[in-house]
Amino acid sequence: MTITLKSPLDMHLHLRDGEMLEQIAKCSSDTFAGGLIMPNLVPPVTTLDELIAYKNRINKATNDNSFKPYMTLFYKPEYNYDFLKSFGDELTAVKLYPAGITTNSEGGLSGFDIEVMRGSLEAMSELGIPLCVHGETNGFVMDREAEFSSIYAKLATNFPKLKIIMEHITTKESVDLLNKFDNLYATITLHHLLITLDDVAGGMLRPHLFCKPIAKRPHDRDALLKVALDAHPKVMFGSDSAPHPKHAKEACGCAAGVFTAPIALIALVELFEKHDKLDNLERFLSANAINIYGITPLEKTITLEKTPYLVPEKFGDVVPMFAGEELSWSLTSITKGDNA
Ligand code: DOR
Ligand code: ZN
């Protein structure tokens, strides 16, 4: 049994920089036709020069012209129309982090004063640049995303022409928002489709599954699964694959992030097959993102077959999800099209 997937896209990806970028870039470029690259470097990506230099470092690390990095800028309310326009096609989206909410987000936004944000968000609306949002308040950890719903509603109603992507949603409340506001969309990770808080902390603590937003309750996961398996047109795959070195995960202050890039495609095929929804996988992995972002991805066809794959214990210095376990599908071939 085989399956072929056309131009899979990972619309939320951390590739890091320097040595880490060198170690893990190929994990994504081997299996995806492109990825939306998060800007939370140290310091974050905030200028055109930084963005282009980072894109070039990514291209050098992947050494693969069949993977396109779709670049993002770290949101600042000071951005104006001329500044954003100057990015032209180099910029795919702007990513908003509340200050201090997750890894390398210290320079993010403090407070959601619409008037402070108005200039930048109206400029993005006019230029057709989507806003990607890490939607968590600084409240109790299990409630942070649900508490953010009112901020999503405020953004969606004040900026009706702005495409707002709720990144890595983890709750039923966020799923419900998709049908309430035309201009809200969402990415969903692999790990939030598979685990709940019980998998992270219900038994022995499993640091490699610790991430932000933290995995929630079974009914939240069920709500995510439903829209992903149905390939709801407003959701798309975004792995939020977030590599940290092993020593930073297996530590007293464990860094947040699950490293899924090397196994994401295989595990998604396994999941969609288990639910008898393989026919919808290409929409979740590619077609929905093409429609939402208005992009034309590189042509790249990935073929997988149903033979077991033993997940390596490490990629470079990073422990992947399912390390040392067997998945039921393997990659067999990758075909690059004329434009790749
Ligand atoms: O778990 C996470 N890790 N969540 C994020 O939002 C950021 C990411 C990272 O950059 O490590
Ligand atoms: Zn992320």
Side-chain angles (χ1 to χ4, degrees), residues 287-316:
N288 288 355
I290 290 171
N291 291 335
I292 294 167
Y293 276 97
I295 51 179
T296 306
L298 298 170
E299 287 165 18
K300 187 172 187 176
T301 306
I302 317 287
T303 304
L304 302 99
E305 71 177 13
K306 200 161 181 193
T307 52
Y309 169 69
L310 179 63
V311 181
E313 294 287 348
K314 285 209 277 178
F315 287 83

Side-chain angles (χ1 to χ4, degrees), residues 14 16 40 97 102-103 134 168 210-213 240 242 244 256-258:
H14 297 271
R16 312 298 193 209
N40 62 333
Y97 288 94
T102 188
T103 311
H134 183 118
H168 43 54
F210 172 65
C211 65
K212 299 287 179 69
D240 199 14
H244 292 276
V258 185

Side-chain angles (χ1 to χ4, degrees), residues 101-217:
I101 203 69
T102 188
T103 311
N104 305 338
S105 62
E106 291 71 21
L109 190 67
S110 322
F112 282 81
D113 182 335
I114 291 292
E115 293 321 314
V116 171
M117 304 171 82
R118 187 169 297 282
S120 53
L121 297 187
E122 279 179 353
M124 287 170 58
S125 306
E126 272 178 62
L127 291 162
I129 302 170
L131 178 74
C132 300
V133 182
H134 183 118
E136 289 193 286
T137 66
N138 56 9
F140 179 65
V141 70
M142 287 295 278
D143 297 335
R144 287 177 189 175
E145 187 173 307
E147 285 175 3
F148 203 87
S149 294
S150 59
I151 301 176
Y152 277 132
K154 197 159 83 167
L155 290 170
T157 44
N158 275 278
F159 305 99
K161 296 213 179 83
L162 181 67
K163 280 192 175 172
I164 300 166
I165 323 285
M166 303 185 286
E167 294 296 332
H168 43 54
I169 58 171
T170 62
T171 64
K172 181 171 183 317
E173 284 87 349
S174 297
V175 170
D176 292 342
L177 282 178
L178 286 171
N179 296 325
K180 290 194 185 134
F181 298 95
D182 285 351
N183 56 335
L184 286 185
Y185 304 84
T187 55
I188 302 182
T189 73
L190 168 70
H191 47 285
H192 290 121
L193 290 173
L194 294 174
I195 65 170
T196 67
L197 185 60
D198 257 2
D199 296 289
V200 186
M204 301 268 267
L205 188 66
R206 293 171 72 192
H208 295 287
L209 297 181
F210 172 65
C211 65
K212 299 287 179 69
I214 194 98
K216 303 293 187 315
R217 297 176 173 80

